[in-house]
């Protein structure tokens, strides 16, 4: 299924609004119509029709009466992933455990985007608590890839990616713990931005792995993603890990040519699809032809990346998800007869198998007999991985690697082997382990299944501009 978007950039939207070619109300109605037309793909959990149209009419009035007061995001229609809080709207992380829960406040990033005149159109489907790479792990059912409905859209922000893919919004707000923005963007032929850790406040993002989680964006061009990041970023009293320095340098002109490193071991990775290797080589050649210099870098820690990531994220998940207990909010089992059963049954019935698997694994690696053997060792390896990547940035401005070991697979292909699903994240989790910014971009098409293939740039911490 090929869908031609009405707009591919915010600047084009704003030009047409200013020239009177479209009203904001008619544009929002177009996006609502697209969402309804492609409802079978299951990208949206909830669409706020009346609310979005009312916001559009208000913006049209502002355009007529006080155009000088328009925010930088006037004309930007966004979807929001179902693990980010929006005041007085439901948020469930696609899990039964938060059934019927309404957010009492908005995430800091959401507040800042709305203050710049963005409009939210609805919340999108995702893997439960961001745990998954295919968007098959949702209480609301799987999301389908619009390019081939038999294939996954990627995860965990699969609904976010498909909402942009079907032209139901200009861009999407997602979250990235180990590739959950970049991988679905790549599978759907879009751009996906994960900023540096702490660039955008995590206040209002339902926690999975607190030292990995980062709000990010999916869209049709990197300029829009950079603007969204600029507006959403900044210090926040609610998040002590937020970077304190303002993102003023986005106004600077990037250098014309860059030093781009590629990791030699990746071409030899046993699970790498030959088609992706081919497209990586073609991308490197295009960069060389454009005048950029290429640097071959060794990275001998690749085999430790996925184990390190899953030891640490499951440990953090076991602690973060302990707050969902059937006592204070969310789902409470009707079968429970006493306090112990309330805890046991509410969590057993409320969490999916994948979430329970990760909680149990995290509890195991944090237990007194295994803490030093697993969790402490993984922290040491994480530091080695970060140091090794930072050393590469002393010789290069960017690192180019594939987003995934393969293009979008068919539904059910990896469900019987969770480890195979985990290994598909080997190239994306690097950025989260080291706190690096990363940008996924469309790089080609698989010659056999005709699905998009994405590459990604990684930059040193705080150097998002380098990827533009």
């Amino acid at each position: 299924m090929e869908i031609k978007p009405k707009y591919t950039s915010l600047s084009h939207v704003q030009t047409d609004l200013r020239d009177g070619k479209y009203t904001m109300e008619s544009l929002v109605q177009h996006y609502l119509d697209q969402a309804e037309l492609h409802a079978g793909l299951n990208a949206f959990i909830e669409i706020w029709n009346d609310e979005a149209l009312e916001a559009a009419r208000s913006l049209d009035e502002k355009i007529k009466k006080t155009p000088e007061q328009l925010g930088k995001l006037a004309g930007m229609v966004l979807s929001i992933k179902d693990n980010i809080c929006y005041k007085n709207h439901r948020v469930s992380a696609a899990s039964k455990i938060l059934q019927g829960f309404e957010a009492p406040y908005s995430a800091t990033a959401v507040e800042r985007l709305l203050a710049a005149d963005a409009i939210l159109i609805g919340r999108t489907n995702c893997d439960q608590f961001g745990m998954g790479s295919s968007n098959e792990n949702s209480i609301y059912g799987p999301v389908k890839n619009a390019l081939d409905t038999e294939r996954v859209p990627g995860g965990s922000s699969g609904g976010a990616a498909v909402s942009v893919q079907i032209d139901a919004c200009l861009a999407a707000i997602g979250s990235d713990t180990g590739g959950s923005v970049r991988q679905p963007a790549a599978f759907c032929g879009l751009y996906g931005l994960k900023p540096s850790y702490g660039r955008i406040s995590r206040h209002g993002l339902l926690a999975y792995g607190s030292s990995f989680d980062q709000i990010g964006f999916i869209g049709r061009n990197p300029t829009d993603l950079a603007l969204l990041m600029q507006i959403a970023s900044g210090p926040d009293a609610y998040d002590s890990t937020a970077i304190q320095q303002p993102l003023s340098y986005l106004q600077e002109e990037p250098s014309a040519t860059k030093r781009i490193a590629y990791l030699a071991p990746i071409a030899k990775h046993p699970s790498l699809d030959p088609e992706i290797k081919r497209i990586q080589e073609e991308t490197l050649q295009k960069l060389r032809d454009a005048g950029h210099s290429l640097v071959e870098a060794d990275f001998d820690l690749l085999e430790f990346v996925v184990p390190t990531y899953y030891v640490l994220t499951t440990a953090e998940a076991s602690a973060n998800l302990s707050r969902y207990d059937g006592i204070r909010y969310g789902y409470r089992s009707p079968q429970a007869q006493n306090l112990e059963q309330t805890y046991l049954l509410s969590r057993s019935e409320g969490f999916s198998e994948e979430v329970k698997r990760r909680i149990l694994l995290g509890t195991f690696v944090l237990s007194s007999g295994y803490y030093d053997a697993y969790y402490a060792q993984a922290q040491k390896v994480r530091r080695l991985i970060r140091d090794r990547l930072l050393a590469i940035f002393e010789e290069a401005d960017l690192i180019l690697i594939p987003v995934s070991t393969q293009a979008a697979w068919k539904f059910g292909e990896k469900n019987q082997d969770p480890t195979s699903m985990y290994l598909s994240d080997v190239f994306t989790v690097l950025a989260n382990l080291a706190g690096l910014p990363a940008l996924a971009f469309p790089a080609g098409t698989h010659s056999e299944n005709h699905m998009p293939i994405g590459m990604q740039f990684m930059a040193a911490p705080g150097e998002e501009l380098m990827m533009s």
Side-chain angles (χ1 to χ4, degrees):
M1 183 191 304
E2 192 167 343
I3 299 164
K4 187 176 181 180
K6 192 177 189 71
Y7 290 102
T8 58
S9 70
L10 179 60
S11 62
H12 191 184
V13 174
Q14 292 178 337
T15 297
D16 281 1
L17 286 173
R18 186 170 56 249
D19 294 345
K21 292 184 179 179
Y22 291 99
T23 64
M24 199 62 216
E25 183 177 4
S26 66
L27 179 58
V28 167
Q29 188 60 61
H30 163 77
Y31 287 136
L32 292 171
D33 291 343
Q34 288 297 106
E36 182 178 359
L37 179 64
H38 301 287
L41 299 177
N42 204 27
F44 285 94
I45 294 168
E46 186 177 13
I47 299 174
W48 305 311
N49 295 58
D50 295 340
E51 189 177 319
L53 288 169
E54 180 58 35
R57 286 189 283 268
S58 296
L59 195 61
D60 284 332
E61 283 297 305
K62 186 184 283 191
I63 292 170
K64 290 178 184 176
K65 297 178 179 178
T66 55
E68 70 281 356
Q69 296 180 12
L70 286 172
K72 290 183 178 180
L73 293 180
M76 174 64 76
V77 178
L78 298 165
S79 65
I80 180 172
K81 186 177 178 180
D82 187 39
N83 66 344
I84 301 171
C85 292
Y86 181 23
K87 188 175 181 179
N88 298 329
H89 294 75
R90 290 188 178 185
V91 60
S92 68
S95 176
K96 186 177 180 179
I97 200 74
L98 275 172
Q99 181 177 286
F101 178 73
E102 285 190 3
Y105 60 87
S106 290
T108 298
V110 171
E111 288 183 343
R112 291 172 177 171
L113 296 171
L114 291 174
D117 282 336
I119 293 175
L120 296 181
I121 199 169
R123 60 187 173 116
T124 54
N125 203 345
C126 59
D127 286 299
Q128 286 195 34
F129 287 98
M131 299 181 186
S133 303
S134 62
N135 219 140
E136 294 172 277
N137 177 35
S138 167
I139 192 68
Y140 305 107
V143 178
K144 299 175 183 178
N145 195 316
L147 295 172
D148 183 345
T149 56
E150 294 184 357
R151 295 182 182 273
V152 302
S156 63
S157 306
V162 174
S163 71
V164 179
Q165 189 186 39
I166 62 175
D167 199 32
C169 53
L170 186 59
I173 314 171
S175 67
D176 193 310
T177 305
S180 292
V181 159
R182 289 162 289 149
Q183 188 241 34
F187 281 12
C188 293
L190 302 166
Y191 290 85
L193 173 65
K194 182 206 95 68
S196 304
Y197 180 75
R199 176 61 72 198
I200 297 175
S201 169
R202 289 180 293 109
H203 176 64
L205 170 64
L206 304 189
Y208 162 20
S210 301
S211 71
F212 294 81
D213 296 340
Q214 186 59 71
I215 288 176
F217 305 100
I218 298 173
R220 294 191 178 276
N221 69 81
T223 302
D224 286 356
L225 302 187
L227 179 61
L228 288 166
M229 177 184 64
Q230 183 179 27
I231 290 170
S233 67
D236 183 16
Y238 293 109
D239 182 3
S240 62
T241 65
I243 296 172
Q244 297 302 303
Q245 293 77 20
L247 200 58
S248 57
Y249 64 75
L250 272 183
Q251 304 300 327
E252 299 176 5
E253 285 293 323
S255 60
T257 60
K258 298 180 177 68
R259 301 167 299 165
I260 299 173
Y262 58 97
L263 305 184
I266 284 182
K268 302 173 185 175
H269 196 276
S271 60
L272 184 66
D273 187 322
E275 284 285 292
I276 294 180
K277 179 182 178 182
R278 174 184 63 81
I279 287 176
Q280 182 185 21
E281 291 171 351
E282 290 175 357
T283 303
L284 289 169
Q285 185 60 48
K286 289 176 183 177
L287 291 167
R288 184 184 290 111
D289 293 344
H292 302 289
S293 57
L294 302 184
V295 179
E296 182 176 316
D298 193 24
F299 186 77
D300 58 0
L301 299 174
L302 202 58
E303 64 181 299
F304 303 106
V305 167
V306 171
T308 301
Y309 171 80
Y310 277 99
V311 166
L312 296 178
T313 55
T314 56
E316 293 183 16
S318 72
N320 280 325
L321 272 61
S322 65
R323 70 193 70 182
Y324 306 111
D325 53 15
I327 301 295
R328 289 161 288 187
Y329 47 77
Y331 176 76
R332 179 182 295 181
S333 174
Q335 311 302 321
Q337 301 297 316
N338 53 47
L339 182 62
E340 182 179 357
Q341 287 185 3
T342 298
Y343 283 117
L344 177 63
L345 295 178
S346 297
R347 289 170 66 80
S348 296
E349 297 168 9
F351 289 131
S352 71
E353 292 304 309
E354 181 59 33
V355 174
K356 286 186 280 191
R357 182 183 295 117
R358 298 195 193 196
I359 290 173
L360 288 171
L361 178 58
T363 304
F364 172 77
V365 301
L366 288 175
S367 61
S368 59
Y370 298 96
Y371 180 93
D372 290 333
Y374 292 101
Y375 184 76
Q377 288 296 103
Q379 289 285 29
K380 294 175 184 177
V381 176
R382 182 182 195 180
R383 173 49 65 98
L384 289 174
I385 290 170
R386 177 180 167 86
D387 289 348
R388 197 68 55 86
L389 290 171
L390 293 181
I392 294 174
F393 287 120
E394 292 178 4
E395 307 295 329
D397 301 311
L398 296 171
I399 297 174
L400 176 80
I401 59 174
V403 172
S404 178
T405 56
Q406 63 183 104
W409 54 85
K410 290 188 175 182
F411 284 103
E413 273 189 20
K414 296 181 181 290
N415 289 354
Q416 302 306 313
D417 183 8
T419 304
S420 173
M421 187 86 77
Y422 298 164
L423 288 172
S424 68
D425 296 333
V426 62
F427 301 144
T428 51
V429 299
L430 271 174
N432 302 81
L433 279 164
L436 307 177
L439 174 70
F441 60 92
T445 304
H446 199 287
S447 63
E448 295 178 7
N449 58 38
H450 310 295
M451 297 303 291
I453 290 175
M455 294 288 137
Q456 62 178 327
F457 284 126
M458 293 191 297
E463 296 291 342
E464 286 89 351
L465 181 61
M466 278 288 180
M467 303 183 297
S468 62

